[in-house]
Every structure is written in C-alpha cells, then in structure tokens.
Amino acid sequence: MLIKNRDDAFVHPVTSEITSQRQYEGRRELMKRMATGVAGAAMASWAAREAHAQSVRPNKLAALASVKSTVAGAMTMDKVTEYKDASTYNNFYEFGTDKADPAKNAHTLKTTPWTVEVEGMVKKPAKYTLEDLLKLSAQEERIYRLRCVEGWSMVIPWIGYSLSELIKKVEPLGSAKYVEFITQADPKTMPFVGSRVLDWPYVEALRLDEAMHPLTLLSFGMYGEVLPNQSGAPVRLVVPWKYGFKSGKSIVKIRFTDKQPATAWNKAAANEYGFFSNVNPDVDHPRWSQATERRIGEDGLFAKKRKTLPFNGYEAQVGQLYAGMDLKKNF
Ligand code: MTE
C-alpha cells in the first residue's frame, strides 16, 4: 500500500501451496522415496518446513468441517499457496506495517467472545455471536486467488459461506444500496491502532449487489482450520475479484446504508485506491503498473511474472455487475 519499508522500497508481499490433502500426499510421496533410499536431503527440508509451519500456528487451530463449493468459479485449479507463506506474509495494519508483523504480533488479538452487529437499513437488525454466525449456513471450501494492489497474489483454500446467506436473514430495506464492514479497533490488543497510518477502525464497503454475489465469502477458516489471527480471525470477508484490501479482517459490524461509505484506503489516498478496486490490468496504480503479478511461492530470481487478469479471472461470474460503467473512471 502506501507504506515504504526501511530501505525506502515499497513493501510487497510473497506466497506458495498446501491443503491438508496435499500435505498428506506429500508425506506419502516422501515415504515412497525413503523406501527407495533417495530421501536424505528431502527429509531434512521436510522437517524444517514442518517445524516452521508449526511455529506459525501458535494456538492449536481447530478443524472446521466443510464441503467443496459448487458456486460457479469458486474452486480455481491454480496451485495452492503454502500455508506458511499465506500465514506469514500478511497485511493487517492493526499489527504493524511490515508483512511479517501480523504473524509476529497478532497473538494478542482476543477472538472470544466475539459478536458481529448487523445494523442500519435492514428489517431485522441483530447481534450475532460467532457461534450463531458459524451455524447460519453450511461451511464450504473455496479456492480463491487473492490479488493485492501491491502486485503479488496468492491462492488460498478458504472456508466459509456466501455473505448473501446472512444478508437474506436480515432483510435489507429497498433503500439500502451499500454494505459497510467495520473491523475491530482495540488499542489494548492491537498495538498499531493509534498509529497515524490509517483512520481507525479499518472500514471496507461493497455495493449491495456485489455483497450479494455468491462469490463474496464470509470466511471463518483456511486450509481446513479456523483462521489464524493474522489472517483476520475470527471472521473476515474475501472478495476474489477485487484487490485484497477490499477484504476486511476481524469484522465486528456490518452496516447497510444508502450512501457510499468512506473506506480506509480511499480516505487515505483517493487517487490511488478507488471505491470499486476491481482487479484491472488496464488501470495502473498512479505509482506502478497493475498489468502483471508475482505469485507468492514462484518468486525465484528468474521467475516470470504472471499477467493479471481482468476481475482477477472472475470476469465470467462478476463482469455483468459493472455493465455500462466506465471502469477507468470507477476504478
Ligand atoms: N483488514 C484489516 N482490518 N486491516 C488491514 O490492514 N489489510 C487489507 C485486507 N484487510 C487489512 C485488512 C489488505 S491491504 C490486504 S492485501 C488483505 O487484507 C490481506 O489479506 P491476507 O493477509 O489474507 O493476505
């Protein structure tokens, strides 16, 4: 985002792959290789990776049961990013601006008890406990690409359900046009709330039809487990056709309104971060191109960058939401 690191270079994230199934298959492969006597070096690197993966799971995460999603576009076949990359290269400014900060610092986030208040232009405003939210609909696994405005991308197996399930329950009024997501801002448990980097709480918003789209995910987990704190525990949004910053983490309030809400990055720099922020290779960020991306985990010295796809590859599913709009103006 706007932030520079100590060397004055713009901070860009990094990633790779792993589902429990893949991990399981990897171990089977290793056993086979051990049986045929070729496993020495592989064993050492496997042990190191396992140790690292364990070290980034400080609180034993609970398993979350899910079925594979049948929503159109929800299961990309792209190689999944490794858990250790997805959970140690994060943006969560409440815990620091360096990509490694959230994994280091987010252990202080207190996720129980947790409630999400739904308010504003709805017939049935309500305060949901996390337990109520988890029960509201069946959990699905969805493998989404997430493309950050900074030029990197990851592929993550999320767990959750379409936000539309919750929206239908609270019955928006005809006048409601936008949905605002307000996230936790507790200076006692989030060391960077209070810094001047952003105007807290971190707020994101969608148009109501975007929020109702079946791909818009209310997520509670990833890689078969509950979300680690640094990834937005206990509940976050994932909007796969928009730049990553539209996916608010650690949500405490969802508000329905008739006016376009002011959102965190748009308030910080409106010329750089538009309200829509659909992934668009034809609209450059004022300070860099958005035409290509670096897939985390593919980042060797000679690794070729990938071409960024319109709507992050989800154009067939979401393109019609923007029919007739000038997407260069409405970036
Ligand atoms: N949500 C909150 N509350 N605070 C943040 O700083 N960062 C955003 C978004 N949601 C952010 C947030 C940005 S810039 C990105 S790229 C994604 O979270 C990163 O999500 P990830 O950690 O799952 O990669």
Side-chain angles (χ1 to χ4, degrees):
M1 315 293 301
L2 286 174
I3 303 308
K4 294 178 177 185
N5 68 14
R6 272 172 232 103
D7 309 322
D8 225 28
F10 286 105
V11 178
H12 292 308
V14 199
T15 311
S16 353
E17 132 187 287
I18 251 179
T19 62
S20 318
Q21 182 63 18
R22 276 164 209 262
Q23 228 165 0
Y24 163 80
E25 281 163 6
R27 284 196 196 111
R28 275 189 51 182
E29 178 58 20
L30 190 64
M31 304 278 274
K32 263 199 269 166
R33 293 168 79 188
M34 282 172 83
T36 54
V38 252
M43 185 68 202
S45 81
W46 174 76
R49 272 178 37 166
E50 276 295 283
H52 185 77
Q54 291 309 323
S55 75
V56 298
R57 297 181 188 206
N59 338 303
K60 262 195 129 221
L61 296 171
L64 216 51
S66 63
V67 294
K68 296 208 180 305
S69 182
T70 54
V71 168
M75 298 294 277
T76 176
M77 299 302 284
D78 289 19
K79 186 173 181 251
V80 171
T81 297
E82 283 194 38
Y83 180 91
K84 72 172 164 57
D85 290 328
S87 59
T88 54
Y89 194 79
N90 301 105
N91 276 336
F92 199 169
Y93 279 34
E94 289 83 337
F95 295 100
T97 54
D98 192 278
K99 302 292 175 233
D101 285 345
K104 271 191 243 150
N105 300 333
H107 57 91
T108 54
L109 176 68
K110 193 169 170 283
T111 57
T112 49
W114 195 272
T115 53
V116 176
E117 210 170 338
V118 185
E119 60 173 42
M121 297 180 157
V122 288
K123 280 196 200 124
K124 297 182 175 165
K127 203 168 185 173
Y128 288 87
T129 64
L130 185 69
E131 293 70 26
D132 291 340
L133 270 188
L134 280 163
K135 278 188 275 177
L136 192 124
S137 184
Q139 303 286 330
E140 295 188 348
E141 182 183 65
R142 301 189 181 181
I143 305 180
Y144 282 171
R145 287 177 287 267
L146 186 128
R147 202 305 193 167
C148 186
V149 73
E150 295 161 320
W152 48 275
S153 61
M154 299 192 194
V155 179
I156 296 180
W158 300 104
I159 297 180
Y161 52 75
S162 295
L163 175 70
S164 61
E165 297 296 330
L166 172 62
I167 297 180
K168 281 186 254 163
K169 282 264 178 322
V170 298
E171 299 181 27
L173 302 178
S175 48
K177 299 217 159 33
Y178 296 91
V179 191
E180 191 175 7
F181 303 90
I182 298 134
T183 71
Q184 175 79 309
D186 173 17
K188 284 200 230 82
T189 55
M190 301 173 128
F192 271 67
V193 168
S195 76
R196 302 235 193 105
V197 192
L198 287 171
D199 190 10
W200 312 102
Y202 190 102
V203 169
E204 257 315 329
L206 297 171
R207 231 171 41 190
L208 182 57
D209 58 343
E210 298 176 323
M212 283 296 290
H213 193 280
L215 282 174
T216 301
L217 186 72
L218 196 61
S219 176
F220 305 90
M222 60 190 229
Y223 299 81
E225 297 178 342
V226 300
L227 289 170
N229 289 357
Q230 61 269 32
S231 297
V235 55
R236 67 172 288 172
L237 204 64
V238 190
V239 192
W241 70 95
K242 292 181 180 275
Y243 291 114
F245 68 90
K246 296 298 289 183
S247 297
K249 295 175 162 183
S250 306
I251 295 168
V252 289
K253 215 174 254 187
I254 300 178
R255 184 184 292 145
F256 290 74
T257 159
D258 56 354
K259 291 186 192 62
Q260 184 174 299
T263 56
W265 282 104
N266 188 249
K267 275 199 272 179
N271 64 324
E272 304 197 5
Y273 310 108
F275 175 80
F276 285 95
S277 289
N278 293 321
V279 174
N280 191 340
D282 298 332
V283 176
D284 288 344
H285 181 279
R287 291 180 283 131
W288 58 78
S289 160
Q290 295 290 16
T292 60
E293 68 200 58
R294 187 166 57 90
R295 181 65 52 86
I296 302 299
E298 292 180 348
D299 46 0
L301 205 54
F302 303 105
K304 258 184 83 182
K305 284 191 169 184
R306 289 170 175 256
K307 273 181 123 176
T308 289
L309 300 171
F311 298 104
N312 202 21
Y314 299 93
E315 184 167 16
Q317 289 81 31
V318 302
Q320 77 283 2
L321 292 176
Y322 309 100
M325 275 177 71
D326 179 344
L327 295 178
K328 289 201 167 145
K329 267 196 211 136
N330 297 287
F331 63 91

